[in-house]
Amino acid sequence: MRNEELILSINNVFKSYHRGSQIVRVLENISLELERGAFLALMGPSGSGKSTLLNLIAGLDYVDQGTIEIDGVDITTLSETDLARWRSVNVGFIFQFYNLIPVLTAFENVELPLLLTSLSKRERQKHVSAALSVVNMEDRVDHYPNQLSGGQQQRVAIARAIVTDPTILVADEPTGDLDRISAENVLDLMDRLNRDLGKTIIMVTHDPSAGKRAHSMEHLDKGVLNHDL
Amino acid sequence: MGLLFFYSLRNLLTRRLTTILTALGMALVVFVFASIIMLAEGLKKTLVETGSSGNVVILRKSAETEVQSRIDRDQASILETLPEIALGEDGQRLIAKELLVLITMQKKNSDGIANVIIRGIGKHSFSLRPQVKLITGRMPRWGTSEIVVGQSVAKRFKNTGLQRTLSFATRSWNIVGVFDAGDTGFSSEIWGDADQLMQSFRRQTYSSVILRLRNPNLFQGLKKRISNDPRFTLGVMREKDYYLKQSETMATFLRILGISLTLIFSIGAVVGAMITMFAAVANRTAEIGTLRALGFQRKSILFAFLLESLILGFFGGCAGLLFASLLQFLTVSTMNFQTFSELAFRFSITPGIIIKSMAFSIFMGFAGGLLPAFRASRMNIVDSLREV
């Protein structure tokens, strides 16, 4: 694998949490590499540390030890302010419960990340319309989240994730709150984003059928990556 | 910026009942704050407008009000000869030697009594106060027991209508007219012939001398002349300054009362806003986590929640001012502690009061929202995202 094709490089990462006076080790010596345009599924039982690893990759949390390099930037060295700025440019989030802002319309929810850019209002509108058309939600721009079904909300959330054209998309149980058909639609959409638009996707799931839609799979168990499975 | 504003505004609109109740709490405080300042302003305006800048009030030296003042007839007669006095249309000097006495009268709609000013006037008293206009009846004839009453007196006291008779100072006095002096203190007075009133009240001295200057710039010269003349033991003031000084004590008292009351009430309103905003933060923990995950900095979260609280304060201020502004249509009366007489006046709203009230209300919003907004901005992203 040529180095410039690597988009993610995790080296010897440790992470633990304090629970009262106890220290709970969540990730133990994790190392992982991912090339640009990959679609990786992180799988494992509850409490295995897959969401924690995803949070670290997405720059939502700090490692105790080790480095995480994304597109040439070691995010473990960034300050909180710089990390927030980095996230706004490089990470698109897809959450299990969509996490749309209930008081904003679909259009405004998708526009939200663009407020952190220097784009003009007209340019923002153009980007939002394009993102909503990718997820086939251009006819629901003025709907509030509570006026949309779960599947539709997740599609709006995906539009929000891709609107800034981020380096990676991170998805935490993106189909966990959806019925089978909606879940299939969302997975189809993610597959299309990966295949047609070349988006690098890292998805956490404990649903084997969702995991099978990814191109590669990593298993975590008790905070340790098991490459052999 | 625009979207963040709508985000804050819509969050408030989503929680309509809580928003309205919190804003009403603030509105109540603003109402109290604005109405007491409006009261002080109305009192000041009434007393200040009572005076005219071209007129001069002469009282006994060291007397602060006409009630305390005594001017001998001799001194009053010498004053009539001063060259600084303007001439009226009849070619006579515009000067009036006046008497001021307080009597108690029964109020119309209660059993209460209040002091009312009886002003003994001279021939030029009306010319010296062009704002005083007869609205019904006629002027009192000189040398008779006829009086005219101010409109506020006619409205608020028993037996003060046209053709009624008032008994005081061992005589019966016929009311032959009612005058309107606009929003001035004269509306709360009863006027009659000074010499007749002096006789009845067994007074040997006048209370004050009012005169009009030929030129307002002659005031300092007149003041110097009177203070240097050994025949006089008198003090000279512009009429406007005299009434302004009268209003100061009462207006200051009202302001201090208003600010003290408001400060106590505002603690309740700030706590109310704080509870509302803490509840808003608790309900929107996942939203905060999402916004932070998307790349919004802590200061943006702080700003969004603070903005929400400021909007609450703004709405509260608008509602409070709206209610307070309705008070302008009310006329109230109070004891003027300078003259110990009843004084009727209106609540008066000014741009300054609007600005102060809004600033106060927005400050309450700020004080109530600061801690919750700070808490929201300090939340851990990962923990917040778990709160779905």
Side-chain angles (χ1 to χ4, degrees):
Chain A
M1 195 184 301
R2 271 172 40 221
N3 220 20
E4 56 266 31
E5 286 176 346
L6 269 186
I7 199 157
L8 170 70
S9 173
I10 302 174
N11 297 302
N12 310 109
V13 163
F14 289 81
K15 178 71 183 172
S16 55
Y17 288 116
H18 291 265
R19 190 176 292 156
S21 56
Q22 269 192 320
I23 296 174
V24 181
R25 292 190 179 281
V26 186
L27 295 176
E28 297 262 8
N29 200 19
I30 301 287
S31 292
L32 180 70
E33 286 187 342
L34 203 64
E35 61 186 296
R36 198 179 298 275
F39 186 173
L40 170 74
L42 275 174
M43 301 199 62
S46 293
S48 59
K50 53 191 189 304
S51 288
T52 301
L53 181 58
L54 193 76
N55 289 337
L56 292 175
I57 293 168
L60 297 178
D61 209 351
Y62 282 97
V63 298
D64 291 343
Q65 200 182 311
T67 59
I68 298 176
E69 213 171 284
I70 294 176
D71 210 13
V73 178
D74 181 1
I75 62 169
T76 57
T77 61
L78 295 179
S79 68
E80 191 183 86
T81 308
D82 289 338
L83 197 56
R85 207 169 290 134
W86 176 85
R87 278 198 306 272
S88 70
V89 176
N90 293 288
V91 188
F93 290 92
I94 304 168
F95 301 99
Q96 180 178 358
F97 299 104
Y98 336 122
N99 288 39
L100 296 176
I101 307 295
V103 296
L104 300 182
T105 62
F107 187 94
E108 289 165 341
N109 264 291
V110 178
E111 190 186 7
L112 212 47
L114 294 177
L115 296 179
L116 300 166
T117 67
S118 55
L119 294 177
S120 68
K121 191 165 176 62
R122 183 177 289 217
E123 286 170 319
R124 289 205 303 266
Q125 281 174 343
K126 232 165 84 179
H127 280 70
V128 173
S129 299
L132 282 168
S133 75
V134 169
V135 298
N136 287 326
M137 286 295 288
E138 61 268 56
D139 55 342
R140 295 280 199 276
V141 287
D142 293 327
H143 286 59
Y144 286 92
N146 62 2
Q147 297 169 320
L148 301 170
S149 68
Q152 287 172 328
Q153 286 188 59
Q154 193 60 298
R155 275 149 64 191
V156 173
I158 292 171
R160 181 180 65 185
I162 60 171
V163 74
T164 53
D165 192 20
T167 312
I168 53 168
L169 287 179
V170 295
D172 193 355
E173 304 279 9
T175 58
D177 195 47
L178 297 176
D179 59 69
R180 178 52 47 201
I181 296 169
S182 300
E184 282 300 321
N185 288 338
V186 165
L187 289 169
D188 285 345
L189 182 58
M190 289 174 72
D191 191 40
R192 199 148 52 83
L193 290 174
N194 173 253
R195 218 172 350 95
D196 300 346
L197 302 177
K199 294 285 165 205
T200 305
I201 302 175
I202 303 167
M203 173 175 71
V204 160
T205 183
H206 61 252
D207 175 6
S209 62
K212 277 179 197 156
R213 302 292 293 266
H215 303 157
S216 58
M217 219 182 272
E218 293 286 349
H219 287 266
L220 264 164
D221 192 19
K222 292 177 185 164
V224 180
L225 261 185
N226 195 340
H227 299 283
D228 302 330
L229 281 173
Chain B
M1 175 69 195
L3 191 57
L4 275 183
F5 174 76
F6 284 118
Y7 168 68
S8 300
L9 185 66
R10 282 183 207 159
N11 270 309
L12 285 174
L13 296 177
T14 305
R15 296 172 285 123
R16 266 189 209 97
L17 186 66
T18 321
T19 301
I20 289 170
L21 289 177
T22 313
L24 275 180
M26 290 181 171
L28 180 71
V29 179
V30 172
F31 173 78
V32 173
F33 178 75
S35 56
I36 294 182
I37 299 183
M38 281 167 69
L39 198 68
E41 186 64 28
L43 180 83
K44 188 177 169 186
K45 199 175 158 194
T46 297
L47 284 171
V48 169
E49 282 182 8
T50 303
S52 152
S53 51
N55 288 353
V56 171
V57 177
I58 301 173
L59 305 176
R60 190 186 66 188
K61 203 172 247 175
S62 79
E64 299 229 328
T65 66
E66 286 173 284
V67 179
Q68 303 161 339
S69 172
R70 301 278 180 275
I71 300 178
D72 294 340
R73 286 175 186 269
D74 299 348
Q75 291 192 35
S77 298
I78 301 168
L79 285 172
E80 283 182 303
T81 65
L82 294 176
E84 287 87 356
I85 303 172
L87 296 179
E89 286 172 359
D90 56 0
Q92 293 189 336
R93 290 171 190 272
L94 281 176
I95 182 166
K97 297 177 282 188
E98 297 187 342
L99 171 77
L100 197 125
V101 188
L102 295 175
I103 63 163
T104 51
M105 288 176 66
Q106 264 204 310
K107 288 187 174 180
K108 251 181 190 167
N109 297 321
S110 71
D111 293 332
I113 53 167
N115 285 343
V116 175
I117 290 178
I118 306 286
R119 184 179 291 276
I121 57 168
K123 281 183 181 157
H124 291 109
S125 290
F126 271 91
S127 323
L128 283 163
R129 280 93 173 209
Q131 72 270 41
V132 181
K133 291 186 175 69
L134 205 63
I135 49 170
T136 51
R138 59 175 175 78
M139 299 286 281
R141 281 177 303 201
W142 302 111
T144 66
S145 303
E146 291 179 350
I147 50 173
V148 286
V149 299
Q151 207 176 12
S152 296
V153 175
K155 274 184 194 162
R156 309 176 83 84
F157 291 92
K158 282 181 182 164
N159 287 324
T160 48
L162 195 62
Q163 308 299 342
R164 304 302 285 263
T165 302
L166 283 178
S167 295
F168 59 86
T170 68
R171 264 204 230 179
S172 294
W173 301 83
N174 298 322
I175 300 170
V176 296
V178 178
F179 64 85
D180 175 24
D183 287 335
T184 70
F186 297 128
S187 289
S188 302
E189 295 183 356
I190 296 174
W191 288 12
D193 182 344
D195 291 326
Q196 292 301 310
L197 286 163
M198 281 170 79
Q199 222 172 59
S200 292
F201 281 108
R202 295 199 178 93
R203 296 285 175 95
Q204 302 300 319
T205 55
Y206 295 104
S207 301
S208 60
V209 171
I210 317 295
L211 59 87
R212 167 85 45 84
L213 291 170
R214 275 192 289 121
N215 179 338
N217 298 332
L218 294 173
F219 175 75
Q220 288 304 332
L222 175 79
K223 194 174 176 180
K224 202 170 169 187
R225 181 195 296 278
I226 289 175
S227 56
N228 289 344
D229 192 327
R231 292 173 297 175
F232 296 129
T233 49
L234 303 172
V236 183
M237 284 176 91
R238 285 188 194 274
E239 196 181 31
K240 204 149 197 128
D241 295 339
Y242 168 69
Y243 284 107
L244 180 67
K245 204 173 165 191
Q246 272 199 21
S247 72
E248 266 167 10
T249 313
M250 194 67 186
T252 307
F253 167 73
L254 283 173
R255 261 187 221 108
I256 292 171
L257 175 77
I259 290 168
S260 317
L261 273 179
T262 314
L263 279 180
I264 295 165
F265 286 171
S266 65
I267 295 170
V270 167
V271 170
M274 210 178 272
I275 291 169
T276 302
M277 291 311 297
F278 267 127
V281 172
N283 287 335
R284 279 147 58 196
T285 305
E287 265 178 59
I288 295 165
T290 307
L291 290 170
R292 294 272 291 118
L294 293 179
F296 285 89
Q297 304 277 358
R298 288 189 194 279
K299 61 183 178 195
S300 301
I301 304 297
L302 182 89
F303 177 74
F305 277 87
L306 210 48
L307 182 66
E308 209 167 304
S309 186
L310 293 178
I311 295 171
L312 255 180
F314 178 80
F315 283 149
C318 289
L321 272 175
L322 181 74
F323 295 138
S325 66
L326 299 176
L327 293 174
Q328 285 181 101
F329 303 108
L330 281 182
T331 300
V332 290
S333 67
T334 186
M335 170 80 83
N336 179 357
F337 286 102
Q338 298 295 107
T339 60
F340 298 104
S341 62
E342 182 90 346
L343 180 72
F345 58 96
R346 283 164 184 272
F347 287 82
S348 175
I349 194 160
T350 62
I353 292 176
I354 294 173
I355 292 168
K356 274 184 204 160
S357 304
M358 287 309 295
F360 180 61
S361 189
I362 289 171
F363 174 75
M364 280 194 291
F366 176 80
L370 190 61
L371 276 180
F374 190 69
R375 185 182 167 185
S377 72
R378 301 301 303 169
M379 279 182 173
N380 178 283
I381 305 174
V382 176
D383 292 341
S384 306
L385 286 171
R386 283 199 196 111
E387 298 281 326
V388 179

